[in-house]
Amino acid sequence: MALNPNTPLKASLAFMEFGRAKLLDLYYLIFEGMDGNPAFPLPPAAFPDIDKKIKQMYGFVNKKDFVSALVMLDSIKDDMRTNATYVQANCGNDLPTLLSSNYGEAKQGGGKSPVITQVLNLVPSNGRLSGTIDLVYDVPKGAHLLEGYAKLHADTEDKFAFAGSSDNKSMLIEKQVKGTEIDIYVQAKGTLG
């Protein structure tokens, strides 16, 4: 399938599902790609600030405070997502420029993926960590990215907020308040061949 050259390129956010070790391997590659790169002179999430968060995260790990370490890992992921958006906006829709940052290209080849459908057989359960929800579901054929959205059930304005993403049949929704009733939906995205 040929891509429309006018479709804006997107940086891959697959790292949002990575654990500590894999995420940091990618982070250091991205640091190499962006440090001194004239296409990306001022990333909004500064690398020295992210480095401080990495040190804090490992401090929590050493103290066996894994909940705080997970919170810090999520903060690092949020910073990397912020920089991914910056790379998208400043690559001039040029694939070699985007790739020079060492962020990968999103699977859809750019642009917003067409929505296939919501997932089927969504089953939420309490997560292993406090404030998390595990979601399990069936992935529709042709989907390659799944995005979770949540809102407070009492919120009458129906403002769902992005809560997580995955490329498989499970997802962890974090930063929830125990005992609070929320509404969740998982949207499947992809391109059908």
Side-chain angles (χ1 to χ4, degrees):
M1 175 181 357
L3 296 176
N4 180 345
N6 297 320
T7 301
L9 295 171
K10 299 281 185 184
S12 173
L13 299 179
F15 61 84
M16 294 299 289
E17 296 300 313
F18 290 178
R20 269 193 314 264
K22 191 172 179 182
L23 182 77
L24 292 183
D25 286 346
L26 177 62
Y27 168 74
Y28 291 118
L29 284 174
I30 290 169
F31 175 77
E32 281 181 22
M34 291 181 67
D35 187 39
N37 188 329
F40 312 112
L42 293 171
F47 291 110
D49 295 337
I50 298 173
D51 289 338
K52 287 177 189 173
K53 290 181 181 182
I54 291 169
K55 287 179 183 173
Q56 288 177 321
M57 177 181 67
Y58 278 108
F60 289 130
V61 170
N62 291 336
K63 293 176 185 174
K64 300 193 183 319
D65 182 355
F66 298 112
V67 173
S68 297
L70 184 59
V71 169
M72 195 57 61
L73 179 65
D74 287 342
S75 179
I76 294 165
K77 287 179 181 181
D78 290 342
D79 287 346
M80 290 177 66
R81 181 200 303 252
T82 298
N83 284 349
T85 302
Y86 167 78
V87 165
Q88 289 171 188
N90 290 282
C91 74
N93 206 34
D94 178 64
L95 183 58
T97 303
L98 184 145
L99 296 177
S100 74
S101 70
N102 285 333
Y103 275 99
E105 179 191 12
K107 288 182 184 177
Q108 72 269 25
K112 194 168 177 105
S113 297
V115 173
I116 295 175
T117 183
Q118 288 187 343
V119 299
L120 304 172
N121 304 319
L122 176 64
V123 179
S125 62
N126 287 330
R128 293 176 297 279
L129 298 173
S130 179
T132 64
I133 300 170
D134 287 322
L135 303 177
V136 178
Y137 40 79
D138 293 332
V139 179
K141 183 179 179 181
H144 61 71
L145 177 67
L146 299 119
E147 294 180 345
Y149 295 86
K151 76 170 187 71
L152 291 174
H153 181 69
D155 185 355
T156 57
E157 295 182 20
D158 289 333
K159 291 188 176 181
F160 279 88
F162 178 82
S165 65
S166 176
D167 61 0
N168 59 41
K169 58 184 181 176
S170 67
M171 183 182 306
L172 182 67
I173 303 293
E174 301 173 314
K175 301 178 185 171
Q176 301 302 313
V177 177
K178 188 173 182 173
T180 303
E181 190 174 350
I182 61 169
D183 297 328
I184 298 172
Y185 77 87
V186 177
Q187 184 176 49
K189 294 185 172 186
T191 51
L192 293 172

